[in-house]
Amino acid sequence: MRFGKTLRQAFYAPWKDKYIDYGRLKSILREDKPEDEDEPWTEDDENRFCDEIFNTQLEKVAQFQEEKVADLRQRVDAVFDKLRELPPAEESKPLPDSTAERLRELEADLDGITNEVKELRKFSNLNYTGFLKIVKKHDRKRGDRYKIRPIMQVSLSKRPFNSEKGYAPLLNKLSLMYFAIRQQLEGDDGHAEQYLLDPDSQPETHNGEKYTAHKFWVHPDNLLEVKTYILRRLPTLVYSEQSAKEVDGNPDPTITSLYFDNPKFELYSKKVERESDAPSLRIRWYGQLGDKPDIFLEQKIVHPNGSSEERKFSVKEKYVKPFLDGEYKMEKSVQKMERQGRGAEDVDEFRSTADAIQEFVRDNKLAPVVRANYVRTAFQNPVDDRVRISIDTDIAFIREDTLDRDRPCRDPREWHRHDIDDSNMTYPFKNINQSEVSRFPYAVLEIKLKGDSNRKRPTWIQELIGSHLVYPAPRFSKFLHGVASLFEDYVNQLPFWLSDLGTDIRKDPQEAFEQEEERRAERAENELAVGSFLGTLGTKLSSYKPSKSSPMSKSYLAERAAADAAAATPRSGGFTLPAAAADEEGGSSGRQGAATGVGGAADADRDYGTLSGIFPGFSLSKYARAKRAAREVVLPEGVVEPTEWIKNSGPLRIEPKVWLANERTFLKWQHICVLLGTFAISLYTAAGKNSLAEFMGIGYILVAVFAGCWSYYILHTRRTMIVQRSGRDFDNVLGPLVISAALMVSLILNFVFAYRAAFVREGFGGQLVQQQGGNDTLPIMARGDLR
């Protein structure tokens, strides 16, 4: 079916005039005219088309989307305020009839808003597909000089409602209010939980266990950092015994999936439109088909509440084609299970699964249409399956269809392409027609959390999800992307994420962290309001604690970019500005706030008691030089030095030798204190009537007291630094300087006084004193004799 006809049939009547005028754009392109009657495409024609599509049609659709979303937000907020005005629930008392009636009215309002949100999403999807299809027609027929499809993709990606994320705030608030209302009307019977779904996640069921899946794209520049971040928490999952035996073997297998659909792509259309009955079917195996791997036939079923489950069984390669044609009923597998003594329930379940999948293939006339090939790295604790993570790289989509009877991609008599599997062809598949291959530019990260782990996510999972290293892709599907990228002329709806492929998905670290914190804070505020309405029944809602800083906001790449920027940026006057001065010059509000608040106190306390704090630049240690070099580095705009590092986020583990080293230093100081004290007391006791000896003894006593107090102070200061895992210098030269200076002054004074006394005793000082003092003054020697 042509897209123009699909667009006319899918119109939502109240918004008919707000859709893209696809017919007008086709008439400007002169799409319906034969080539022999077509006139040359001029510059004026190009300007006219671009003005119409960008300045008229795109702006008309975008303006209506913004106005409609603003109106929906107002209506949602109005219902939310009405819900908050209701009295809090009491678990021990029944719900009053008036309150129940009011809740049903609010639920009806929410149903109306939800239906309108669905229509708005369909509106956005139709227009999104229309814009991409019309610019493709332009580039194919009129694009000899100008290609405007990349420009259109960038324009669409900048519109917040041409993506799944644009509807997340509305859906989040709606899910919370549905949860609160159903919790009150139906009670805590477990059914209300289906309304409390995260719009950025998708519930799944595997082997009877419920999981919540979160999907992200990872840029190749961030891939290694993401893998190492996960490896610190989860080990890699080895798929085969051969990989486990080989120390240097590659544990990451190549996975091939063949997705099924019919020539009308009905399964694709249902999945794009998110219909409640949107099943899918695929054949999957690990490694090369020539190695005789286990082949699995898998059917994914989507339930009306949005959750999904899988049905699968293994089949031998030689039985795949007969099974798909309906000639084989898996009788040998059933007989084998019976011989092995499997229970009757297991046998009946296997038989029913095989029959259901075979009937599904026959009724929908399904055949393989697209192949997805990728390398998967999995992370999972062998004894704990609450968190399962996989990263798919080297993703390629290949046509596997027979739509063109004259030049089919696959032999219609076979169920797979022999030209690929017989030659063990691998990524990037350069030996086949390149028009039949589509390579995905990013890696796909999928995080599956079991049961309540979604509501109580581990801290490191939450930090990874909110970091700049990943790009959310909540509804991404390999099946949808493969069909959309290879069969665009055959389908009339495209997924939103196609326009994101033409943009740079890398994000500024601090900006990504702030956006995630804002989103979590907004969600927590809504949950708090709903929780206050539910009273004691609102304990299922998650709590929110704002992060001090992003532990991942400064990565290796950010540090390297900052170093490169500092090396490439010249400074006026031939010197480098300090970090604080550079921030003030650059106008960074975050750094200015840190200088006036906590950061200022940290800077003032950074060089406590060290010689570098008294004489800047005196310290020549390797750490001090590195610290001075770090202060001279000017961070790029938007990158803020974190106050909490990844190394500080785990439990506190301190080696005993660190404590013993601190105590050993304290004992050394106490040894010096005891020695000085003993010497001072001995000197003071033996002084007798010698006032000089008494004063010297008192001075040494004061130095000993200072040494004891200083040792106690430095013991507790360093203990605090150890507990806080501080990165500051542990050396402190103030105490040794004071004691050394005091001892030096005491020794110099002692030497001077002793020297003068010896000088007088030799008879050189009496005449000098007598000449100065006259007859009334006794010579010093005489006074010495009197003593």
Side-chain angles (χ1 to χ4, degrees):
M1 183 184 297
R2 292 181 175 272
F3 178 75
K5 185 177 180 180
T6 301
L7 184 62
R8 289 191 298 271
Q9 293 179 352
F11 273 154
Y12 183 54
W15 304 342
K16 185 176 181 179
D17 298 335
K18 305 300 180 181
Y19 286 83
I20 178 178
D21 195 342
Y22 195 76
R24 175 172 174 76
L25 293 173
K26 286 182 64 177
S27 65
I28 296 176
L29 281 178
R30 300 195 289 270
E31 178 73 15
D32 299 331
K33 286 189 177 182
E35 294 184 2
D36 54 351
E37 300 179 5
D38 193 13
E39 300 176 359
W41 186 258
T42 63
E43 193 77 20
D44 293 337
D45 295 332
E46 183 70 25
N47 292 335
R48 181 186 174 197
F49 178 79
C50 291
D51 180 71
E52 178 67 25
I53 192 172
F54 286 104
N55 298 333
T56 303
Q57 299 298 328
L58 184 58
E59 289 300 324
K60 176 185 70 175
V61 173
Q63 183 179 359
F64 176 75
Q65 284 179 319
E66 293 177 1
E67 293 175 354
K68 199 62 188 176
V69 169
D71 176 66
L72 289 173
R73 284 178 176 172
Q74 291 179 357
R75 292 167 59 185
V76 169
D77 292 340
V79 177
F80 194 73
D81 293 337
K82 294 179 182 178
L83 186 64
R84 295 174 62 179
E85 292 174 358
L86 295 177
E90 297 183 11
E91 190 173 6
S92 58
K93 295 183 180 180
L95 191 66
D97 295 339
S98 59
T99 303
E101 183 65 25
R102 186 59 177 159
L103 288 175
R104 292 189 182 92
E105 294 176 0
L106 294 178
E107 185 181 15
D109 294 340
L110 291 180
D111 292 338
I113 295 173
T114 303
N115 293 332
E116 201 154 328
V117 170
K118 293 179 180 178
E119 292 296 337
L120 182 61
R121 188 193 173 280
K122 292 180 181 178
F123 171 87
S124 301
N125 188 270
L126 282 172
N127 287 283
Y128 174 84
T129 305
F131 282 119
L132 290 182
K133 282 187 169 292
I134 198 65
V135 296
K136 183 178 180 180
K137 290 180 179 293
H138 168 276
D139 292 352
R140 183 169 52 192
K141 188 172 184 178
R142 309 296 183 184
D144 296 337
R145 289 178 294 175
Y146 304 102
K147 302 288 186 182
I148 65 174
R149 183 181 175 91
I151 302 176
M152 177 58 69
Q153 287 182 329
V154 173
S155 299
L156 292 175
S157 65
K158 292 182 178 179
R159 309 287 177 175
F161 308 112
N162 286 328
S163 65
E164 299 291 345
K165 296 183 292 184
Y167 299 92
L170 279 175
L171 297 178
N172 178 32
K173 214 162 194 176
L174 287 171
S175 67
L176 287 173
M177 288 190 287
Y178 268 120
F179 171 76
I181 292 175
R182 302 313 306 173
Q183 189 85 340
Q184 289 284 40
L185 293 178
E186 299 178 358
D188 191 14
D189 57 357
H191 297 291
E193 278 292 331
Q194 62 178 320
Y195 297 97
L196 194 59
L197 300 178
D198 190 347
D200 295 336
S201 63
Q202 185 175 357
E204 297 180 355
T205 302
H206 299 278
N207 299 325
E209 299 287 348
K210 293 183 178 180
Y211 288 86
T212 304
H214 304 261
K215 295 182 180 180
F216 305 89
W217 293 349
V218 181
H219 194 278
D221 293 348
N222 298 331
L223 182 59
L224 180 60
E225 192 166 358
V226 171
K227 285 187 175 181
T228 54
Y229 182 83
I230 299 173
L231 278 172
R232 295 175 186 148
R233 281 85 182 176
L234 292 177
T236 56
L237 183 64
V238 180
Y239 281 85
S240 63
E241 296 181 0
Q242 182 66 23
S243 299
K245 295 177 182 178
E246 299 177 2
V247 178
D248 297 330
N250 183 18
D252 303 335
T254 300
I255 301 178
T256 303
S257 298
L258 297 185
Y259 292 97
F260 286 67
D261 210 334
N262 52 34
K264 296 182 179 179
F265 291 95
E266 294 178 351
L267 298 186
Y268 169 87
S269 301
K270 289 182 179 181
K271 200 170 183 65
V272 170
E273 296 174 359
R274 296 190 198 172
E275 295 186 7
S276 57
D277 55 340
S280 61
L281 183 67
R282 69 179 177 184
I283 293 178
R284 184 172 64 167
W285 67 86
Y286 295 85
Q288 297 294 339
L289 194 59
D291 297 334
K292 305 298 181 182
D294 294 333
I295 300 176
F296 297 92
L297 198 60
E298 302 174 348
Q299 181 186 16
K300 191 173 184 179
I301 303 174
V302 180
H303 297 292
N305 63 350
S307 61
S308 64
E309 64 174 324
E310 285 186 350
R311 298 174 180 174
K312 67 178 182 179
F313 61 91
S314 61
V315 58
K316 292 184 177 181
E317 180 183 357
K318 62 181 179 180
Y319 295 130
V320 174
K321 183 63 176 176
F323 177 82
L324 296 177
D325 294 340
E327 301 173 357
Y328 176 64
K329 300 290 186 180
M330 303 299 297
E331 297 91 348
K332 293 187 177 181
S333 298
V334 172
Q335 295 173 1
K336 183 178 179 181
M337 294 177 65
E338 292 176 348
R339 288 196 305 268
Q340 292 176 348
R342 302 285 292 273
E345 295 182 358
D346 294 340
V347 175
D348 293 340
E349 183 180 359
F350 177 84
R351 184 185 288 110
S352 62
T353 299
D355 293 342
I357 292 179
Q358 193 171 55
E359 183 181 359
F360 177 68
V361 173
R362 182 180 64 252
D363 294 344
N364 293 277
K365 301 179 181 179
L366 302 180
V369 293
V370 65
R371 171 190 297 233
N373 186 276
Y374 48 92
V375 176
R376 169 161 292 182
T377 305
F379 305 89
Q380 181 182 335
N381 191 331
V383 297
D384 187 0
D385 61 347
R386 289 179 297 177
V387 179
R388 299 166 57 185
I389 299 178
S390 64
I391 299 179
D392 297 337
T393 56
D394 296 341
I395 305 175
F397 301 96
I398 305 172
R399 290 185 60 165
E400 199 88 10
D401 63 284
T402 59
L403 297 177
D404 189 348
R405 297 296 181 182
D406 297 331
R407 292 179 298 177
C409 299
R410 168 181 53 84
D411 187 349
R413 296 170 297 181
E414 300 293 339
W415 63 274
H416 67 99
R417 292 184 60 162
H418 283 275
D419 57 338
I420 297 177
D421 296 325
D422 291 350
S423 60
N424 292 333
M425 196 180 304
T426 58
Y427 187 89
F429 300 96
K430 294 183 178 180
N431 296 332
I432 61 175
N433 189 347
Q434 293 303 295
S435 63
E436 300 174 358
V437 183
S438 174
R439 300 174 186 86
F440 193 69
Y442 308 122
V444 176
L445 168 68
E446 185 172 9
I447 302 175
K448 293 183 179 180
L449 303 176
K450 181 179 179 181
D452 293 338
S453 298
N454 182 49
R455 303 296 301 172
K456 301 176 182 178
R457 299 173 185 169
T459 304
W460 67 274
I461 290 289
Q462 187 64 42
E463 291 172 354
L464 178 61
I465 290 176
S467 72
H468 68 287
L469 300 176
V470 297
Y471 183 84
R475 298 291 176 178
F476 179 77
S477 167
K478 294 185 180 70
F479 169 54
L480 294 185
H481 186 82
V483 173
S485 58
L486 295 173
F487 301 92
E488 185 174 346
D489 294 336
Y490 292 85
V491 296
N492 291 325
Q493 283 187 309
L494 301 175
F496 278 139
W497 61 75
L498 287 183
S499 60
D500 294 336
L501 296 178
T503 61
D504 189 357
I505 65 172
R506 290 173 293 186
K507 299 179 289 185
D508 177 77
Q510 187 63 25
E511 182 180 352
F513 169 67
E514 291 175 355
Q515 291 176 355
E516 176 65 15
E517 286 295 298
E518 182 179 356
R519 187 186 70 84
R520 292 178 59 202
E522 181 180 359
R523 181 178 177 87
E525 182 181 357
N526 297 335
E527 291 180 350
L528 182 62
V530 173
S532 63
F533 166 71
L534 292 176
T536 57
L537 298 178
T539 56
K540 291 185 179 181
L541 300 177
S542 62
S543 60
Y544 165 74
K545 295 181 180 180
S547 302
K548 297 179 180 179
S549 65
S550 174
M552 305 184 68
S553 64
K554 189 173 183 181
S555 62
Y556 164 74
L557 296 176
E559 293 176 353
R560 181 175 178 180
D564 294 342
T569 304
R571 293 296 177 190
S572 60
F575 62 91
T576 303
L577 292 175
D583 291 333
E584 291 178 2
E585 180 179 290
S588 175
S589 59
R591 296 289 292 174
Q592 289 174 355
T596 57
V598 179
D603 292 340
D605 194 49
R606 186 177 292 148
D607 295 324
Y608 78 102
T610 62
L611 187 60
S612 59
I614 303 173
F615 304 106
F618 184 84
S619 179
L620 300 178
S621 65
K622 183 183 295 185
Y623 180 83
R625 291 197 301 269
K627 187 169 64 173
R628 287 197 297 270
R631 292 183 188 177
E632 295 174 356
V633 175
V634 180
L635 297 178
E637 183 179 356
V639 179
V640 179
E641 183 179 359
T643 59
E644 184 178 355
W645 300 89
I646 295 179
K647 67 181 181 64
N648 298 339
S649 58
L652 182 63
R653 295 190 183 96
I654 300 175
E655 296 183 7
K657 64 179 182 181
V658 178
W659 293 108
L660 296 177
N662 190 28
E663 294 178 359
R664 186 166 57 249
T665 305
F666 171 73
L667 294 177
K668 288 289 185 181
W669 274 101
Q670 292 296 315
H671 180 65
I672 294 174
C673 174
V674 172
L675 287 178
L676 289 176
T678 304
F679 173 71
I681 293 175
S682 301
L683 182 61
Y684 184 82
T685 304
K689 296 182 178 180
N690 192 333
S691 57
L692 177 61
E694 292 179 356
F695 291 143
M696 295 301 297
I698 293 174
Y700 283 123
I701 289 176
L702 294 178
V703 174
V705 171
F706 174 81
C709 296
W710 176 259
S711 63
Y712 184 80
Y713 163 75
I714 204 67
L715 171 70
H716 286 274
T717 301
R718 288 175 176 168
R719 181 186 181 279
T720 303
M721 294 171 64
I722 293 171
V723 172
Q724 294 178 352
R725 291 180 280 203
S726 174
R728 298 177 297 171
D729 285 326
F730 278 81
D731 57 320
N732 196 315
V733 299
L734 181 60
L737 277 178
V738 171
I739 293 179
S740 300
L743 291 176
M744 187 178 296
V745 170
S746 300
L747 291 174
I748 291 174
L749 291 177
N750 192 14
F751 174 77
V752 171
F753 290 135
Y755 179 79
R756 291 185 61 181
F759 191 78
V760 172
R761 282 196 301 270
E762 295 296 330
F764 297 102
Q767 296 177 358
L768 179 62
V769 176
Q770 187 175 9
Q771 291 176 0
Q772 294 177 353
N775 296 328
D776 296 333
T777 305
L778 291 174
I780 293 180
M781 183 64 70
R783 280 188 283 171
D785 294 338
L786 292 176
R787 291 197 300 268

